Amino acid sequence: MGNSTSHISGRKSDFHESRDTLSTTTPSGTDITLAKAPLKRILQSYSTGDISQVVATTSDIFLKRKADAILDPFSIKRVKLYEPCRAPVFIWSLPAEILIAIVALLGVQDLRCVTQVCSLFREIAGPLFFVNRSFPTSPQDMFHIRVDSHNFDVLLTWIRMDTFRPPRMMLCWLDPDVRSTQLSAFSHFLQSVPHKSIRYITLFWNFDILTCSIFPHIVSVLETIRAFGCEDLTCMGFYSRVGSSSVTGLTQIQGHVSESHLKTFDASSQAFFSPKLLPFTIQTIRSSYLEKLRLSSIKLSPSHWDKLLRHLVIPTLVELRVDADCAPSTLIRFLARHPGVDSLSIIPRPGCLWRAHRITASLTLSSVSMLDGPLSHVLAVLRSHLKPPTLTYLGLSLQSQDASLDYLTTILQCVGYCNSIGYLDLSLPAQGFSYSAMICPGTQSVVHVEHLAISSDAAGSCPASVGDALELSASWIEAFPLVKRVSMRGCSNLTAEHLIRIMRRFAAADVELSVKLCPEVSL
C-alpha cells in the first residue's frame, strides 16, 4: 500500500506559487506540499505531547487537498501515500508511554545512570528510581522527610527534579556503616537548596561517632548545617559511653566563628562534650541567637555543669533544658542572668539527691510559664523566685527520696509558691515508695489548680501490701478543692471503671474525671 498511487483529474494546483508553502521532493520526483503554518502547528503539538491537536491539524490538510482535487477535474495530480520519513529519529522521539515501559525494565543502578542523561529521562526514570530506593517523595511527605544515610546520594537526584520542593523538616538517621561519600552528598544537597528553606534538621545515630573513621566528615556535616540557615538543629545519639564528659578549656574556644541563624540547639548526646566535639558545641551556642537550648543525656558532673553554665550568656534565651546532674544552685545562678526564660525543664535521674534548703540566691523570671522536673530542682527555683509565678504547666517528677514525710506534703509546699497553675502534672515514682508516703495528710491547697493529672509508668512495682499507685494517689484529689478536672494515666492493676469510682469518692460532683490506662498491663 506504500507504493499505491491515485490519479485525480483537475486543474494544476498553485501551491508552489505561494510564499507560505513548504515544498519537498520525494525520490520518485513527486512533490509533497504542506503549508508552513500547519506544519509548524503539527511540530509544536507533537513536541508538547498534544496528540489530539496533531490529528486535527493533519485532518484539515487532507480535507483541503481533497477539495482542491474535486473542484478541478481537468488536472491530474499524482500523490504518493505513506512516504517513508527521511528525518533522523532519536529515542526521545518515542511516546512517553514507551519510554516508561523501557525504563521500568532497568535495575536500580541503571535507573540512576538514566536520570543523569538528560532532563527528559530524569523526569521519567526519577520516580521509578525513588521507589526502588524506598525514598519518599509523595506530597504528604513534603513537610517532613526521613532519610537514611544510604539514601543521601538520592538527594542529589531529587533536587534536580521539576517537582522538587524543599521540605520544612528533615529527619536523618546515620547508620554505623555510613561512608564519607554519602556524607559529602548530604552536605552538597544542603548547600544546593535555597538558604533557610529547611527549618528543622534532626540527626539520629546509635554508634560511637568519636571512634569511627569518618568522624571528621560528621563534624563537617554539622558545620554545614550550622551555616546552612536552618532554625532548629537536634542531635540525638543513643550510644552511651562509659564515664563522664568534661568541659575543660572553655575560655580558649572562640565563639564568633561565623554568623548562625540557629534558634534551637538540642544536643542529646554525650559526644558533644567530648574534647573532639566540644569546640563545635561551644561555638554553636555562642555564635547563635539561641532561643531554645536543650542539653540532656550529656553525662556532665555537677562541677562541669557549673563550669559550662558559668561561661554561657545567651541574651535571647527563652527555653532551657538540662539534666538533673546540674546542681540547683548552679541552675539558679544561670537563670538569674537570663530573666527572659519562660520554660524550664530538668530531666530527672534516679538516685540524684540535692538539698534545696541550702540555696540562698534569688531570681525573677518575668515571663516564666512552664516548669518541669524533679521536686528538688523545681522547689529550689520556686523558693528562690521573688514573686509567685502564674504557671500554665507545672510538672513534678516524684522520686523515692522526696517523701520526707509524705509526697503530698512536699507537693503542696511546691504548689504554695505559685499564684495559680493551669495544669499540674504529677509523675509517681516507679518503685521504692511505701504506703505511708502515699497517704493524704488532710491539708488543702489554696492555690487554684485547673487540671490535676497523675501518671504512673510501672504497674505492680510496689508490694501487694502497699497497693496500686494510682489507687492510693486518688485521695490526693481532696487536697485541691478548686480543681475542675482530674485525669489519671499509665499503668494500673485495676480497671478504668474501678479507678473512676474510687476518684469519685474524693472529687466534687462537678469535677470532670478521666482515666487512660496502658492496655497491655491494665486488667
Side-chain angles (χ1 to χ4, degrees):
M1 189 170 181
N3 297 326
S4 62
T5 59
S6 62
H7 301 271
I8 304 176
S9 175
R11 185 174 50 86
K12 187 176 182 180
S13 175
D14 57 351
F15 282 136
H16 295 282
E17 298 177 1
S18 175
R19 292 180 300 174
D20 297 331
T21 60
L22 178 65
S23 177
T24 59
T25 304
T26 64
S28 59
T30 304
D31 289 342
I32 298 179
T33 306
L34 294 175
K36 286 184 178 181
L39 176 59
K40 185 176 181 180
R41 289 199 301 271
I42 292 175
L43 296 177
Q44 291 177 347
S45 301
Y46 185 78
S47 63
T48 58
D50 193 349
I51 302 301
S52 60
Q53 184 65 27
V54 175
V55 174
T57 306
T58 308
S59 300
D60 292 342
I61 297 174
F62 174 76
L63 293 176
K64 185 177 185 304
R65 287 183 175 180
K66 184 176 180 180
D68 290 343
I70 294 175
L71 292 176
D72 193 355
F74 301 100
S75 63
I76 299 177
K77 180 182 294 184
R78 186 181 182 89
V79 180
K80 191 172 183 178
L81 303 180
Y82 302 102
E83 185 69 23
C85 181
R86 302 294 181 179
V89 179
F90 301 95
I91 188 172
W92 49 78
S93 301
L94 295 174
E97 294 81 358
I98 297 179
L99 292 176
I100 294 175
I102 295 174
V103 171
L105 301 175
L106 302 178
V108 177
Q109 296 300 327
D110 294 331
L111 283 173
R112 181 181 179 182
C113 295
V114 171
T115 60
Q116 300 174 356
V117 173
C118 63
S119 59
L120 174 63
F121 282 3
R122 183 173 61 247
E123 297 302 321
I124 292 176
L128 297 174
F129 177 58
F130 298 147
V131 170
N132 278 272
R133 294 290 293 269
S134 300
F135 185 81
T137 57
S138 58
Q140 58 266 26
D141 296 323
M142 289 301 97
F143 179 79
H144 66 87
I145 185 170
R146 185 183 188 276
V147 186
D148 296 335
S149 56
H150 70 274
N151 272 339
F152 282 169
D153 59 318
V154 184
L155 295 172
L156 299 182
T157 301
W158 181 43
I159 196 175
R160 300 199 310 271
M161 300 289 293
D162 291 341
T163 57
F164 171 76
R165 298 295 182 273
R168 297 286 298 278
M169 177 188 298
M170 291 191 68
L171 307 177
C172 307
W173 181 270
L174 301 182
D175 296 310
D177 56 350
V178 59
R179 300 189 302 271
S180 59
T181 55
Q182 296 169 338
L183 294 175
S184 299
F186 182 50
S187 297
H188 183 70
F189 169 79
L190 294 178
Q191 295 170 357
S192 301
V193 297
H195 191 60
K196 297 194 296 185
S197 57
I198 303 177
R199 298 181 59 182
Y200 311 96
I201 297 180
T202 302
L203 297 179
F204 303 94
W205 64 84
N206 192 19
F207 63 98
D208 190 0
I209 63 173
L210 299 176
T211 58
C212 65
S213 58
I214 59 170
F215 174 76
H217 296 86
I218 295 177
V219 177
S220 178
V221 168
L222 292 173
E223 293 174 346
T224 301
I225 296 174
R226 182 178 61 190
F228 164 68
C230 73
E231 298 180 3
D232 190 314
L233 173 58
T234 301
C235 303
M236 304 184 66
F238 301 101
Y239 180 86
S240 180
R241 296 174 58 88
V242 179
S244 61
S245 304
S246 62
V247 289
T248 57
L250 289 177
T251 56
Q252 286 76 28
I253 298 176
Q254 299 297 324
H256 299 281
V257 291
S258 60
E259 184 179 358
S260 174
H261 296 274
L262 276 180
K263 294 183 179 180
T264 302
F265 181 48
D266 188 337
S268 301
S269 174
Q270 183 182 1
F272 281 94
F273 290 89
S274 65
K276 293 182 178 180
L277 262 181
L278 183 61
F280 168 81
T281 304
I282 302 304
Q283 289 170 357
T284 301
I285 296 175
R286 290 179 175 174
S287 62
S288 307
Y289 297 97
L290 289 180
E291 297 178 0
K292 302 177 182 179
L293 178 61
R294 302 166 183 162
L295 305 176
S296 58
S297 303
I298 59 178
K299 292 188 175 181
L300 285 179
S301 64
S303 59
H304 285 109
W305 268 110
D306 184 71
K307 292 180 181 179
L308 173 64
L309 297 184
R310 187 190 308 167
H311 290 85
L312 292 183
V313 177
I314 311 173
T316 55
L317 190 66
V318 296
E319 179 182 330
L320 178 65
R321 180 195 298 169
V322 296
D323 287 330
D325 293 316
C326 177
S329 57
T330 300
L331 180 61
I332 290 174
R333 285 194 295 267
F334 178 82
L335 293 174
R337 302 196 307 270
H338 299 81
V341 173
D342 63 7
S343 176
L344 174 63
S345 299
I346 301 99
I347 307 302
R349 184 174 66 84
C352 188
L353 302 177
W354 296 106
R355 294 176 180 248
H357 63 274
R358 295 184 177 181
I359 302 173
T360 58
S362 60
L363 61 96
T364 300
L365 301 178
S366 56
S367 59
V368 62
S369 61
M370 197 276 285
L371 289 178
D372 184 18
L375 268 173
S376 57
H377 288 73
V378 176
L379 181 59
V381 172
L382 290 174
R383 181 179 292 170
S384 303
H385 212 274
L386 296 179
K387 181 181 178 181
T390 299
L391 301 179
T392 58
Y393 178 88
L394 175 61
L396 300 177
S397 299
L398 305 179
Q399 308 295 322
S400 58
Q401 66 272 9
D402 291 333
S404 56
L405 296 176
D406 55 79
Y407 289 117
L408 189 56
T409 299
T410 312
I411 293 171
L412 294 178
Q413 183 183 6
C414 190
V415 172
Y417 286 104
C418 301
N419 184 30
S420 65
I421 302 173
Y423 192 101
L424 176 59
D425 192 359
L426 306 178
S427 298
L428 301 179
Q431 57 185 359
F433 57 89
S434 61
Y435 176 81
S436 60
M438 299 293 295
I439 63 174
C440 180
T443 308
Q444 291 185 339
S445 174
V446 296
V447 177
H448 180 266
V449 176
E450 182 72 20
H451 186 173
L452 172 64
I454 304 175
S455 61
S456 175
D457 295 331
S461 59
C462 54
S465 59
V466 176
D468 185 83
L470 290 180
E471 178 186 7
L472 295 174
S473 62
S475 62
W476 295 358
I477 301 176
E478 288 183 327
F480 302 95
L482 302 178
V483 71
K484 298 299 182 182
R485 182 181 179 187
V486 180
S487 60
M488 287 189 173
R489 64 183 184 273
C491 305
S492 176
N493 295 323
L494 305 177
T495 62
E497 293 78 7
H498 192 180
L499 284 174
I500 288 289
R501 290 195 296 268
I502 296 175
M503 294 165 63
R504 181 55 64 189
R505 297 204 304 260
F506 304 100
D510 59 343
V511 176
E512 179 184 350
L513 304 179
S514 64
V515 175
K516 184 177 181 180
L517 301 179
C518 299
E520 63 273 12
V521 295
S522 60
L523 301 177

